Amino acid sequence: MNSDEYSVMNNKDLEAEIHPLKNEDGKAPDNHENCAEKEGLCRKPTRLSQLSRWRTAAFFLSLFLCLIVVFAFSFIIPCPVRPVSQRTWNRKYDRAVTYEFLAIEDVNEDKVQDVIFVFKDTNGSSSFNRSCSDEGLSAPCVFVTAVSGTNGSTLWERPVTEDLLWMECAIEQLGGAQSPGCLVIGNPELLTAISPHTGEVQWRQFNSFGANYTVVTPLLKIPDVDGDGVQDVMIFTTAGDETQSFIYSGKKGEQIGTSGRLSLGARPGYLMHVTKAGSYYVLFNTVNSLYGYSLKDLYSMATGVESKLTSLKQDPQWEKKIKSPTLHIPLLSSGDIRYLVKVPGRSGENILVVKSDMAELLNGQTLDSLWTVNASHILREPVFGYYTPDVLHIVLESGVGPNMKKVMIVESGSGAVHWELELNSRAGSPRPATLNTADHRSIFLFWGEYQAQANETGSKAARQNLYLFHPSYPNVLLELNNSSDQIVAFDAVLFERSRHACYVLLTRPQSSEGPGWVSVAKQKLKEDIPGSRVIWLSQVAGDSEQYIRDRFFRMRFSSQIWNA
């Protein structure tokens, strides 16, 4: 083979590699001939090509649907607008008087908690221009007001009575509504049910408490006894040594029966307890004694009719424990009883009896004593928090000397004191408050003056300081704020779910007993932390003060109630 022939062959091979579908004449092979010879091989690529076209169509269709969904959520369907909450706000009322009442509820249903409080004035705020005469009341009168938790603006305002004896919210199905309501006991003799969402009166009834009476608080919410499907209300009053009971329909406010009479002495306290058997009992405490009445017996006293309701049954174990006919419940100590408080437990609710010389926890089913702790001269009703993860603790404040108090954090299961601190205390300082944190513990907020400042004089002498404590730093206090006004009511609140931790203050002038400036204010906790004062309770400081502030500033909160 000569060189020309070899070159021609190489060119053909190269062209064959570049154009494999061409024959030697530069034409594509005859498909008809191939299909005739290999019919099966010709049909197979056709099915594959059809399947490929279906896959391509499905892909583009899915992509088109995804784009439509993205477009719809981005431009067509509006996203919910989240209210922008101010970090702090303050509402003031001139020439007014306020009462020790503060309720926190989502009034306008914007998922932000709002504030309900009470003041007495001739006219309401300028926002609504309401007056006492609008409700046929003499001036001055009591106004119930709801202000927005986001910015403090007035949501509604209503004059309800000439003078306030007691007010209580979170009463389920009051007035037959689906949401809880508020009940106002006024003077003259008037009961008024109000919707917390609108301020509208759901019902108004005159009471028959008689003359020279005192309302025993709080109100008692009892199961439905008149068959209208709504829980009812029992109210106790005292006149001298006699205690009377009255039952009112929660739906319409009508009195059920007449009244019952009990001889318990002057100004008893009480607590309703539900046993494991589902039986309702009311515990009454006098100066140094504890008595137990079944709700079934109280119903019969008030109506004169023997109850046949299944919800009003008696617990045989409690009936044996209560010594008839005195209905007396024995206690370890004979000290004066100050408070009765229900304490959640793993096997049901127990009963904390706070006396003048100790606090005693009773088993909620057997009424046996579980533990006692020495705590004399308890100043205020206890509150609850979590010092260790998921373990409920009780916060007690006891007087330990002139203008001195001790704050104690006690484990509810054992009665062990896990933390305590002595503070200077001003008369009338509010009780502590707690907020649950994301680490299954709580922050504790309390008022007073740390003992190291006791020798300081000047303008601080009339002030009350607010302190923040968290169990992760047991030797550290943060001094957040102070107030020279008289604090009428105080509470710590998560204004949104698991966030926006704030405290609310209801104040009046320190030296004023008559009308003056009344203020309700919200303050976000994190606004106070950067400028707070770090107090070391131990001799040796640990981390730097700025590190402590940063840790508290980054703390996360939780709306969840942990297991007791």
Side-chain angles (χ1 to χ4, degrees):
M1 182 181 296
N2 56 31
S3 59
D4 293 336
E5 293 176 350
Y6 181 78
S7 177
V8 171
M9 292 184 64
N10 283 342
N11 291 336
K12 289 182 177 181
D13 293 340
L14 181 60
E15 187 176 0
E17 292 178 2
I18 298 174
H19 304 287
L21 298 180
K22 289 185 178 181
N23 56 19
E24 293 184 358
D25 295 333
K27 298 179 180 179
D30 193 346
N31 291 334
H32 297 285
E33 293 178 0
N34 291 339
C35 287
E37 295 176 357
K38 300 179 181 180
E39 186 176 354
L41 293 176
C42 191
R43 291 177 182 173
K44 187 174 181 180
T46 302
R47 294 196 194 97
L48 290 175
S49 61
Q50 290 178 350
L51 184 60
S52 177
R53 286 194 294 270
W54 280 110
R55 287 176 177 172
T56 302
F59 169 76
F60 282 105
L61 180 61
S62 301
L63 181 62
F64 180 71
L65 292 175
C66 289
L67 291 175
I68 291 177
V69 172
V70 171
F71 179 80
F73 278 98
S74 301
F75 302 102
I76 299 176
I77 301 176
C79 295
V81 179
R82 186 176 185 174
V84 179
S85 295
Q86 295 180 6
R87 295 180 177 90
T88 180
W89 49 256
N90 191 345
R91 291 297 307 273
K92 292 187 176 181
Y93 301 81
D94 190 15
R95 299 186 300 275
V97 175
T98 190
Y99 299 82
E100 190 178 353
F101 172 79
L102 200 63
I104 308 297
E105 293 193 25
D106 184 5
V107 172
N108 55 359
E109 299 182 331
D110 61 351
K111 298 184 179 180
V112 178
Q113 297 298 308
D114 305 301
V115 181
I116 302 175
F117 68 103
V118 179
F119 68 93
K120 187 175 184 179
D121 200 350
T122 302
N123 297 302
S125 65
S126 58
S127 303
F128 284 81
N129 293 321
R130 300 295 296 270
S131 65
C132 301
S133 59
D134 293 341
E135 298 291 333
L137 301 172
S138 301
C141 65
V142 174
F143 289 80
V144 179
T145 304
V147 295
S148 170
T150 59
N151 54 24
S153 61
T154 303
L155 299 176
W156 56 260
E157 193 172 82
R158 175 172 291 277
V160 290
T161 185
E162 294 180 8
D163 196 16
L164 182 69
L165 299 179
W166 182 256
M167 179 172 175
E168 192 167 330
C169 288
I171 301 178
E172 296 291 336
Q173 298 178 310
L174 188 65
Q178 295 298 320
S179 57
C182 300
L183 184 60
V184 178
I185 302 179
N187 190 19
E189 300 79 8
L190 194 65
L191 299 177
T192 307
I194 298 176
S195 167
H197 297 292
T198 63
E200 296 297 325
V201 173
Q202 295 170 312
W203 52 257
R204 181 182 281 123
Q205 293 285 349
F206 287 96
N207 64 55
S208 55
F209 296 159
N212 302 320
Y213 65 89
T214 300
V215 177
V216 183
T217 59
L219 308 179
L220 197 65
K221 282 84 73 176
I222 65 175
D224 175 30
V225 296
D226 60 354
D228 59 6
V230 176
Q231 71 172 6
D232 300 311
V233 179
M234 180 175 284
I235 300 174
F236 295 96
T237 65
T238 61
D241 292 337
E242 187 177 66
T243 300
Q244 292 191 78
S245 61
F246 304 84
I247 302 177
Y248 291 89
S249 169
K251 187 173 184 178
K252 297 181 180 180
E254 299 168 345
Q255 185 173 351
I256 301 172
T258 54
S259 66
R261 298 180 183 273
L262 303 91
S263 297
L264 296 172
R267 300 299 300 273
Y270 67 87
L271 175 74
M272 189 168 75
H273 180 73
V274 184
T275 68
K276 289 183 179 180
S279 302
Y280 292 83
Y281 281 82
V282 181
L283 300 176
F284 292 92
N285 64 280
T286 59
V287 176
N288 53 13
S289 299
L290 187 63
Y291 301 92
Y293 286 80
S294 69
L295 188 58
K296 179 180 180 180
D297 290 340
L298 292 174
Y299 172 84
S300 299
M301 293 178 191
T303 61
V305 178
E306 184 73 20
S307 172
K308 298 181 180 179
L309 299 171
T310 57
S311 58
L312 302 184
K313 58 183 179 181
Q314 294 178 328
D315 189 315
Q317 191 170 4
W318 269 57
E319 292 298 319
K320 292 179 181 178
K321 191 72 176 182
I322 298 173
K323 296 180 179 179
S324 298
T326 62
L327 304 177
H328 180 262
I329 298 174
L331 298 173
L332 294 181
S333 167
S334 60
D336 296 345
I337 300 176
R338 299 290 307 278
Y339 301 103
L340 296 176
V341 183
K342 289 188 287 188
V343 180
R346 296 187 182 278
S347 58
E349 289 184 328
N350 297 317
I351 302 164
L352 181 66
V353 183
V354 180
K355 292 175 279 189
S356 59
D357 56 347
M358 67 169 60
E360 180 180 359
L361 188 71
L362 303 180
N363 185 291
Q365 182 60 31
T366 64
L367 295 177
D368 295 328
S369 180
L370 298 177
W371 54 255
T372 61
V373 61
N374 291 328
S376 60
H377 306 293
I378 297 296
L379 301 176
R380 293 163 196 88
E381 185 175 349
V383 298
F384 300 104
Y386 296 88
Y387 184 87
T388 54
D390 297 332
V391 179
L392 187 68
H393 285 67
I394 305 167
V395 185
L396 299 172
E397 285 191 329
S398 61
V400 293
N403 297 324
M404 290 287 294
K405 70 178 179 181
K406 179 189 288 185
V407 181
M408 296 187 297
I409 301 179
V410 181
E411 184 181 337
S412 64
S414 64
V417 179
H418 283 181
W419 188 85
E420 59 184 4
L421 178 70
E422 290 189 3
L423 296 168
N424 291 337
S425 176
R426 301 291 191 270
S429 62
R431 70 174 187 168
T434 63
L435 287 174
N436 293 343
T437 53
D439 62 353
H440 291 223
R441 291 186 283 191
S442 301
I443 64 165
F444 299 82
L445 297 162
F446 42 85
W447 292 84
E449 190 176 24
Y450 183 58
Q451 194 169 5
Q453 308 170 30
N455 295 328
E456 297 181 11
T457 59
S459 61
K460 287 188 177 181
R463 291 185 178 180
Q464 303 173 91
N465 300 324
L466 177 62
Y467 295 101
L468 185 151
F469 168 76
H470 189 267
S472 59
Y473 291 95
N475 65 327
V476 172
L477 282 182
L478 284 191
E479 183 182 306
L480 298 180
N481 207 337
N482 54 57
S483 174
S484 58
D485 291 333
Q486 177 67 40
I487 301 174
V488 180
F490 162 75
D491 201 2
V493 182
L494 292 179
F495 272 81
E496 299 178 47
R497 183 170 179 80
S498 299
R499 64 185 303 273
H500 204 64
C502 303
Y503 58 90
V504 180
L505 285 175
L506 179 63
T507 62
R508 64 175 176 83
Q510 182 79 25
S511 58
S512 174
E513 294 295 335
W517 281 105
V518 169
S519 170
V520 58
K522 180 192 85 169
Q523 177 72 19
K524 191 173 182 180
L525 277 174
K526 288 188 176 182
E527 292 298 299
D528 285 345
I529 290 177
S532 63
R533 177 189 173 201
V534 179
I535 299 174
W536 301 97
L537 302 179
S538 60
Q539 296 295 326
V540 180
D543 301 309
S544 68
E545 293 187 0
Q546 188 57 45
Y547 177 81
I548 295 295
R549 293 189 189 96
D550 292 342
R551 283 295 304 271
F552 277 90
F553 188 85
R554 294 194 300 267
M555 192 168 290
R556 297 291 179 262
F557 297 89
S558 175
S559 300
Q560 183 177 352
I561 299 176
W562 315 118
N563 295 326

